[in-house]
Amino acid sequence: MADKETVIGPETHISGEVRGEEDLIVRGRIDGKVQLTQTLTVEKGATVQADVDVRHLVVSGTVVGTIVASESVKLASTARVVGDLASPRVM
């Protein structure tokens, strides 16, 4: 985890490209593209419909798109993932 994190609230919908160098927690929705040097967490009830390129991915909600995680992907029992997934470690 990075020292900083950003939270996208449950009533927030972002369309477009999201880039950053800190952790991102999604409780709402992102449509487009996500590129982070740290961790993307998609909480239960959240949706990310995007191409995802991150270091770590933690999914409890829904991710639709192409996923590339350079270190790991962790899927909770509530996770729903539709698309291609590439990572050296999937839990």
Side-chain angles (χ1 to χ4, degrees):
M1 291 278 217
D3 293 335
K4 297 180 182 180
E5 66 183 23
T6 298
V7 178
I8 296 174
E11 300 300 319
T12 303
H13 180 163
I14 295 177
S15 293
E17 190 169 332
V18 177
R19 292 182 184 208
E21 296 190 12
E22 60 187 27
D23 293 343
L24 177 62
I25 299 170
V26 179
R27 295 181 179 144
R29 181 179 180 101
I30 296 177
D31 293 328
K33 183 175 183 178
V34 178
Q35 186 174 8
L36 303 173
T37 60
Q38 299 299 323
T39 301
L40 172 63
T41 301
V42 181
E43 294 192 346
K44 185 176 179 181
T47 301
V48 173
Q49 188 164 344
D51 291 334
V52 175
D53 184 358
V54 296
R55 178 180 289 171
H56 301 280
L57 175 64
V58 179
V59 182
S60 297
T62 302
V63 178
V64 178
T66 302
I67 299 166
V68 176
S70 62
E71 292 188 19
S72 68
V73 174
K74 182 176 181 182
L75 303 174
S77 62
T78 57
R80 180 171 178 252
V81 176
V82 179
D84 295 331
L85 187 150
S87 180
R89 199 167 85 175
V90 178
M91 301 172 275

